[in-house]
């Protein structure tokens, strides 16, 4: 084979050639399934702009994005932080931004990583398929931007900022984690009701009413609103706070509800990315590693380019030890890549240990098929729980720690040994569970006929209470959107009891 | 695959976000600008130096878990610990944990810098300048003509001969205008034919020559379409040099507030001059009962004791003027800030100095009488000061003298109103 390119400089022709070569390997040899891709070359300033708008090519304006821009710019200009080589958007066609400063090897790497790795993951992972609509996102973003800017023209920047501030504060509470039950039609409802009635009539037996000592069930703890004060149309509890406010707030105007909806939809669009961050990066890293190696084997890139690739690949997958000054948590690239490489090894060349741990996939000889299946059907938490192997735990020398509040030390719960593998694996998987990272907050009640007070409940797990100053400020935002007093109660998730000073009110 | 070059697309898509951030940080920005003014030299007002603004009070709250409670975590790179060991908590809580990094909180203690434009905007905002004036100050206004290609119309003085002749030659070649040499050759042949008596040849050649002459007439040597003129564009350019005299009373009665007003007043005049002139010199003269030329630091910071004799400063100014800044090569601007105290016996000397030397020589004399911020106590409001009464008697249509009393920064602009108005700006 002939070399795709030589030297550092890139041009459009070379990029096109590299894309075609990468595409051949990705589609034919690795069997990836991707959206058509659109590569856009941008400068570092445009990259900073893209950073500011959380990676999206189009976004409405808000000061918090300006703040992010200032922060990134300062870090970049002072040299504390490099910029990403690429940004990729989950859309159809898949938008892939590459920087003009990259060398040709980097451009090839970026194409393999983003245009095929991430792209495949976006198109195939079940979370993205279920919750995001790749064909419509760009249109929706431009609608959102135009709508917000029209609102700014008509109602003033301040009024829009007030709503956006509040919506941003609540965006993590604006996500549907489960699909809703489909609404029944009235006819269905009536049919069901009469069926039920008929069943009751056929099974009615007066004997039952003679049983002594039937106690009335006590009302569940925490109920404060008399049933007649509730609005009949509202169902409780509701975990999607933004949705609840959008539909039920007594004070919001139409355009304000629409803005809440926009923020809610964007949060929902990003939720799969939060749940699969490590897998997504692992998948892209695995794909670029495979592709670059095959390009080198086929003599389509020269040794110099391969060394350059290895240099940047190893710095991306570098994992410092927790005692290292550079430690900043587990590196998702490193962990995802390591686990996926290990799956490849298990499929091809399993040890006895692997056969014990992974009887389903060990030695099946089809690493790509196995990985494609995994990429499609798992998220970070379930992926680790299923596929983190003892070997990876040993390689990373993982240690599981347990910390009690008020103690100056952590206790070592498990390390990378025979007794520890399973508990390390379970503990690590829990760290990637979004439902555990986010607090569990629900709207539990609202007094619609009287003082219109809104009741929220935070179910506290493991004594991890909300950060108080942030809690007050956020509650004030809820109050602004609801228009009437708001109460948040913190209860212990296990016992259901109210915690001490667990009630915060904004009136 | 599509590959699109977006590098030429406009950058700065995030600019509206920055403006919104500035709006949000208004108090901090104003404070930073005020501090920066105190620290800057008058001549540096326009310098492209960034102003750090602390980012306070723009946290983004959310419902998020605090640091308390029991928690389990997995770390990589264990070298020495076994089950049951105790690992000391890292200092600063669990900052290494994922929660802290994701929320983006706790990173607000950094500063960002205002660009020159943004700085001037806020500086002007305090001074409540009319918009037209702001625009004028931000751009330079004087202009010089600069060569900018060619045009087909223009005055004879800007005719470009070379370009015109090149066009003419091209046209002549293209249309095949007979050359002088061709004509001469034919005439020579005609003469020969006449000499040899070849009648046919003579007729043929005469006809040929006639056609050629006709053609030379219809295709002129230089046609109006050939003519090109040098085109000029007027480009903004500062034209001359100016000197600005800053006169200030530094006697004990001038407090910090008054000095701050005076400084802003001098800065504004400096900005204005800098837009109009290539080089602006600044002379600082402070006075009590006697006047002295000093550098800027001394001017604004030192405090003298003594009476107040304004004429001493005016005399010093006019002496420096004659020594170093001859009227024919310098535009002279004088700005005076004072609380209005003057020895009453000095009035005549002030008047004489002004009418005889300073006012005839200078472009503009701006007097700012600074006072304390307005208070509700009516007793504080005294009548016109000594110096004010003296200058008032000088006011007339043709005299380039403006005076104004200012207690707050927003009142300073009034003293320049006429100055800006005279340059074609109508100030409302």
């Amino acid at each position: 084979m002939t070399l795709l390119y030589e030297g550092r400089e890139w041009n459009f022709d070379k990029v096109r050639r590299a894309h075609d070569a990468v595409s051949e390997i990705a589609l034919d040899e690795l069997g990836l399934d991707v959206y058509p891709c659109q590569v856009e070359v941008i400068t570092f300033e445009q990259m900073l702009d893209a950073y500011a708008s959380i990676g999206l090519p189009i976004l409405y304006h808000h000061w918090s994005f300006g703040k992010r821009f200032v922060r990134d710019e300062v870090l970049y200009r002072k040299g504390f932080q490099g910029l990403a080589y690429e940004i990729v958007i989950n859309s159809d066609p898949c938008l892939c931004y590459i920087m003009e400063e990259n060398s040709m090897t980097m451009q090839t790497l970026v194409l393999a990583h983003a245009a095929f790795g991430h792209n495949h993951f976006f198109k195939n992972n079940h979370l993205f398929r279920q919750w995001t609509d790749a064909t419509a996102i760009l249109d929706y973003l431009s609608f959102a931007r135009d709508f917000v800017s029209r609102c700014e023209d008509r109602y003033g920047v301040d009024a829009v900022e007030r709503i956006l501030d509040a919506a941003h504060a609540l965006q993590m509470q604006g996500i549907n984690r489960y699909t809703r039950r489909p609404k029944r039609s009235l006819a269905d409802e009536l049919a069901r009701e009469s069926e039920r009635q008929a069943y009751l009539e056929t099974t009615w037996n007066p004997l039952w009413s003679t049983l002594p000592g039937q106690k009335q069930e006590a009302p569940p703890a925490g109920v404060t609103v008399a049933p007649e004060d509730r609005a009949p149309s509202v169902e409780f509890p509701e975990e999607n706070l933004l949705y609840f406010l959008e539909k039920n707030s007594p004070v919001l105007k139409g355009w304000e509800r629409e803005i809440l909806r926009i923020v809610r939809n964007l949060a929902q669009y990003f939720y799969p990315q939060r749940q699969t961050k490590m897998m997504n990066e692992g998948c892209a890293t695995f794909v670029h590693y495979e592709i670059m190696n095959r390009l080198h084997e086929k003599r389509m890139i020269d040794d110099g380019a391969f060394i350059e690739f290895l240099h940047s690949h190893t710095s991306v997958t570098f994992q410092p030890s927790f005692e290292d000054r550079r430690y900043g948590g587990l590196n998702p690239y490193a962990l995802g890549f390591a686990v996926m490489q290990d799956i490849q090894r298990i499929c091809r060349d399993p040890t006895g240990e692997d056969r014990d741990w992974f009887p389903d996939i060990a030695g099946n000889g089809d690493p790509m098929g196995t990985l494609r299946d995994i990429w499609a059907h798992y998220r970070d938490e379930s992926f680790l729980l299923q596929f983190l192997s003892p070997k990876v735990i040993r390689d990373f020398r993982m240690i599981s720690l347990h910390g009690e509040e008020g103690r100056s030390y952590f206790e070592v719960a498990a390390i990378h040994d025979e007794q520890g593998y399973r508990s390390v694996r379970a503990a690590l998987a829990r760290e990637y569970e979004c439902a555990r990272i986010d607090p569990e907050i629900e709207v539990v009640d609202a007094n619609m006929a009287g003082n219109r007070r809104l009741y929220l409940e935070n179910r506290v797990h493991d004594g991890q209470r909300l950060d108080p100053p942030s809690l007050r400020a956020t509650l004030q935002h809820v109050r602004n959107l609801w228009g009437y007093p708001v109460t948040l109660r913190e209860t212990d998730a296990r016992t259901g009891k109210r915690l001490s000073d667990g009630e915060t009110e904004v009136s | 695959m599509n590959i699109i070059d977006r590098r030429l697309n406009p950058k700065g898509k995030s600019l509206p976000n920055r403006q919104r951030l500035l709006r949000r940080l208004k108090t901090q920005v104003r404070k930073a600008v005020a501090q920066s003014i105190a620290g800057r030299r008058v001549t540096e007002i326009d310098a492209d130096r960034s102003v750090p603004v602390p980012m306070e009070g723009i946290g983004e709250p959310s419902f998020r878990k605090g640091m308390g409670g029991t928690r389990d975590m997995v770390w990589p790179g264990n070298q020495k610990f076994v089950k049951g060991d105790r690992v000391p908590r890292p200092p600063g809580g669990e900052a290494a944990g994922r929660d802290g990094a994701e929320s983006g909180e706790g990173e607000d203690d950094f500063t960002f810098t205002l660009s020159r434009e943004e700085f001037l905007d806020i500086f002007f905002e305090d001074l409540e300048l009319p918009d037209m004036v702001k625009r004028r100050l931000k751009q330079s206004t004087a202009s010089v003509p600069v060569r900018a290609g060619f045009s087909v119309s223009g005055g004879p003085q800007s005719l470009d001969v070379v370009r015109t002749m090149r066009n003419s030659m091209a046209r002549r070649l293209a249309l095949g205008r007979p050359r002088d040499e061709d004509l001469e050759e034919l005439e020579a042949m005609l003469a020969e034919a006449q000499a040899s008596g070849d009648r046919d040849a003579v007729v043929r050649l005469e006809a040929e020559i006639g056609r050629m002459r006709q053609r030379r007439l219809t295709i002129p040597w230089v046609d109006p379409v050939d003519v090109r003129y040098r085109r000029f564009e007027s480009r903004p350019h500062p034209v001359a040099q100016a000197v600005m005299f800053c006169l200030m009373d530094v006697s004990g009665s001038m407090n910090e507030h008054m000095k701050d007003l005076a400084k802003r007043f001098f800065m504004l005049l400096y900005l204005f001059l800098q837009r109009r002139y290539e080089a602006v010199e600044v002379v600082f003269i402070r006075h009590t009962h006697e006047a002295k030329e000093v550098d800027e630091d001394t001017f604004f910071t030192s405090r003298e004791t003594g009476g107040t004799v304004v004429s001493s400063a005016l005399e010093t100014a006019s002496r420096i003027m004659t020594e170093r800044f001859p009227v024919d090569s310098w535009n002279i601007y004088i700005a005076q800030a004072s609380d209005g105290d003057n020895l009453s016996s000095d009035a005549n000397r002030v008047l004489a100095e002004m009418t005889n030397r300073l006012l005839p020589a200078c472009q503009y004399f701006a007097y700012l009488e600074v006072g304390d911020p307005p208070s509700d106590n009516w007793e504080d409001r005294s009548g016109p000061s000594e110096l004010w009464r003296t200058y008032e008697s000088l006011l007339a249509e043709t005299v380039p003298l403006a005076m104004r009393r200012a207690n707050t920064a927003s009142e300073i602009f009034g003293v320049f109103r006429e100055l800006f108005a005279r340059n074609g700006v109508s100030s409302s």
Side-chain angles (χ1 to χ4, degrees), chain B residues 187-201:
Chain B
E187 273 168 351
M189 280 164 73
L190 178 64
E192 207 176 294
Q194 277 168 342
S196 66
D198 184 349
R199 306 234 9 119
D200 282 356

Side-chain angles (χ1 to χ4, degrees), chain A residues 40 152 158 402 431 436, chain B residues 6 20 23 65 72 74:
Chain A
E40 307 199 348
E152 284 183 342
D158 286 323
H402 176 79
E431 272 192 52
R436 241 165 215 283
Chain B
R6 292 265 184 227
R20 282 165 178 72
R23 263 169 51 93
K65 293 185 176 177
D72 295 305
V74 175

Side-chain angles (χ1 to χ4, degrees), chain A residues 12 15-16 19 37-41 45-46 49 52 57 61-68 70-71 100 152 158 161 165 169 173 319 321-323 327 396-405 407-413 428 431 436-437 439 441 462-467 470-471 474, chain B residues 1-18 20-21 23-24 55 58-90 94 96 98-99 102 104-105 107-108 110-112:
Chain A
F12 289 96
V15 170
R16 204 176 291 278
H19 175 271
C37 121
Q38 173 161 320
V39 177
E40 307 199 348
V41 184
E45 280 141 324
Q46 289 167 328
D49 282 346
H61 298 305
H62 187 248
W63 59 267
S64 65
F65 306 136
K67 174 178 149 187
R68 213 150 295 152
V70 166
R71 186 175 62 211
E100 65 166 347
E152 284 183 342
D158 286 323
E161 190 175 286
D165 285 357
Q173 276 72 45
Q319 176 64 64
S321 145
F322 73 90
E323 287 165 312
Y327 180 70
F396 273 76
R397 305 187 74 86
M398 286 181 189
I399 176 174
S400 165
L401 299 156
H402 176 79
E404 295 278 343
E405 187 166 5
R407 292 201 189 143
S408 63
Y409 60 88
F410 298 123
E411 198 176 307
V412 177
L428 186 60
E431 272 192 52
R436 241 165 215 283
I437 299 167
I441 291 172
D462 297 333
Q464 296 173 3
R465 306 275 294 261
L466 294 175
D467 177 40
S470 190
L471 163 62
T474 316
Chain B
M1 176 199 65
N2 269 333
I3 177 161
I4 299 175
D5 191 355
R6 292 265 184 227
R7 286 173 294 176
L8 295 179
N9 280 27
K11 55 187 184 198
K13 264 206 302 198
S14 189
L15 217 57
N17 295 331
R18 185 180 172 92
R20 282 165 178 72
L21 179 67
R23 263 169 51 93
R24 184 95 184 178
M55 307 250 276
I58 50 161
E60 294 166 71
S62 65
F63 289 130
R64 55 171 165 262
K65 293 185 176 177
M67 283 300 152
T70 56
R71 50 188 66 218
D72 295 305
M73 66 213 86
V74 175
W75 288 350
N78 170 32
Q79 295 297 339
K80 50 182 189 256
F81 296 109
V82 294
K83 187 173 170 166
D85 280 356
R86 290 176 173 185
V87 183
R89 275 184 197 247
E94 289 139 49
R98 293 147 43 88
D99 308 41
E102 263 172 26
E105 200 59 11
E107 296 173 50
D108 292 340
F110 66 95
T111 60
F112 81 106

Side-chain angles (χ1 to χ4, degrees), chain A residues 33-95:
Chain A
D33 166 32
V34 295
Y35 295 121
C37 121
Q38 173 161 320
V39 177
E40 307 199 348
V41 184
I42 57 174
T43 61
F44 83 91
E45 280 141 324
Q46 289 167 328
M47 184 59 103
L48 280 170
D49 282 346
Y51 262 45
S53 52
I54 44 182
L56 295 173
I58 313 163
L59 194 60
Y60 55 84
H61 298 305
H62 187 248
W63 59 267
S64 65
F65 306 136
K67 174 178 149 187
R68 213 150 295 152
F69 182 88
V70 166
R71 186 175 62 211
D72 290 332
E73 195 189 21
V74 166
L75 291 177
Y76 176 69
R77 290 203 191 273
K78 289 192 176 163
F80 292 144
Q81 175 184 303
L83 290 179
Y85 300 115
E86 112 301 316
I87 285 186
V88 56
I89 313 284
N90 167 25
S91 63
D92 180 12
C94 178
L95 287 188

